[in-house]
Amino acid sequence: SQQGEEDPQALSIQEGENATMNCSYKTSINNLQWYRQNSGRGLVHLILIRSNEREKHSGRLRVTLDTSKKSSSLLITASRAADTASYFCGLGTSYGKLTFGQGTILTVHP
Amino acid sequence: NAGVTQTPKFQVLKTGQSMTLQCAQDMNHEYMSWYRQDPGMGLRLIHYSVGAGITDQGEVPNGYNVSRSTTEDFPLRLLSAAPSQTSVYFCASSSTPQGMISGANVLTFGAGSRLTVL
């Protein structure tokens, strides 16, 4: 089965800067979701984009999906120190199964 | 509202021992799943269930058994623990709108269970 591949593996920025993370995959998907994980905690859902959508916004988050390139990006604008976490893309297929990649570790310096 | 509850939070086993990781949700979610998280490997799906009495294998099912006798509970059993099963285990559930085919699963995760096998 497929997993998403997040890029970069680690990202370090200053507060106020934008953070962009990418996710690539190999086979067809029903939807793509982004999750956040704070150290030692479970994942928390951020945003979902369906395969027939190209862009979605939620607060400071912007997600794009290019099914022709089989890739997605997550943009966090005006980053805060509290955004420091690991971010994972989840690939949704029929029958509800969701698979994840290795994640991107984001560090936002105050 | 407790959400997804996993027990125990920490466990140390010796090779060959058996144990069960418990997962319970109080949201009447149809879909439940187990993942393991290892450094550099991300989260990998072990088993999942689309409803009571129905289970299926994920990406890494070997060495693990599951059953789903009730909507609320989805225990993960290790019959003979091995050091390779040292990991952090997460249970996750979701309500699947309008069936599985067109629905998009938004998962609610538990806090995790850290297992060490010596």
Side-chain angles (χ1 to χ4, degrees):
Chain A
S1 63
Q2 72 164 329
Q3 283 186 312
E5 292 186 12
E6 286 97 338
D7 171 66
Q9 291 188 354
L11 181 60
S12 181
I13 60 174
Q14 295 296 125
E15 225 173 14
E17 295 180 340
N18 294 341
T20 299
M21 290 158 260
N22 303 296
C23 173
S24 61
Y25 57 94
K26 295 180 179 176
T27 62
S28 296
I29 59 172
N30 174 285
N31 64 88
L32 188 144
Q33 304 177 35
W34 286 91
Y35 287 76
R36 165 191 170 132
Q37 183 182 35
N38 287 89
S39 181
R41 302 285 191 91
L43 276 68
V44 175
H45 178 260
L46 295 176
I47 194 167
L48 178 152
I49 187 166
R50 295 181 185 269
S51 59
N52 60 355
E53 298 174 315
R54 293 296 168 258
E55 185 171 318
K56 287 192 79 170
H57 296 257
S58 177
R60 293 185 296 114
L61 305 180
R62 172 177 169 256
V63 171
T64 60
L65 179 63
D66 187 336
T67 52
S68 66
K69 296 182 178 179
K70 292 186 168 57
S71 68
S72 172
S73 67
L74 171 68
L75 169 67
I76 305 174
T77 60
S79 296
R80 307 164 181 168
D83 294 328
T84 294
S86 294
Y87 292 82
F88 294 86
C89 68
L91 306 177
T93 61
S94 296
Y95 301 100
K97 200 165 62 174
L98 201 64
T99 58
F100 293 91
Q102 299 179 14
T104 293
I105 300 171
L106 173 64
T107 303
V108 182
H109 300 282
Chain B
N1 191 346
V4 178
T5 302
Q6 292 185 232
T7 55
K9 293 191 186 309
F10 301 94
Q11 183 72 48
V12 178
L13 290 178
K14 295 181 179 178
T15 297
Q17 287 185 318
S18 63
M19 78 155 300
T20 300
L21 298 176
Q22 301 291 346
C23 176
Q25 51 88 14
D26 61 358
M27 299 171 284
N28 201 32
H29 282 175
E30 299 170 9
Y31 180 91
M32 296 185 75
S33 55
W34 277 102
Y35 292 87
R36 61 177 289 174
Q37 185 175 28
D38 304 291
M41 301 294 290
L43 282 89
R44 292 180 291 172
L45 181 63
I46 304 172
H47 285 285
Y48 64 101
S49 169
V50 300
I54 306 170
T55 64
D56 205 348
Q57 296 181 349
E59 302 166 277
V60 288
N62 292 341
Y64 307 96
N65 282 350
V66 291
S67 60
R68 185 93 180 270
S69 56
T70 67
T71 300
E72 295 79 18
D73 301 297
F74 190 43
L76 179 71
R77 298 182 183 86
L78 286 71
L79 298 180
S80 179
S84 60
Q85 294 178 304
T86 293
S87 188
V88 181
Y89 291 85
F90 289 98
C91 179
S93 71
S94 79
S95 173
T96 53
Q98 300 177 347
M100 302 302 300
I101 296 177
S102 61
N105 263 1
V106 172
L107 296 178
T108 299
F109 279 80
S113 297
R114 184 176 293 274
L115 175 66
T116 301
V117 183
L118 303 176

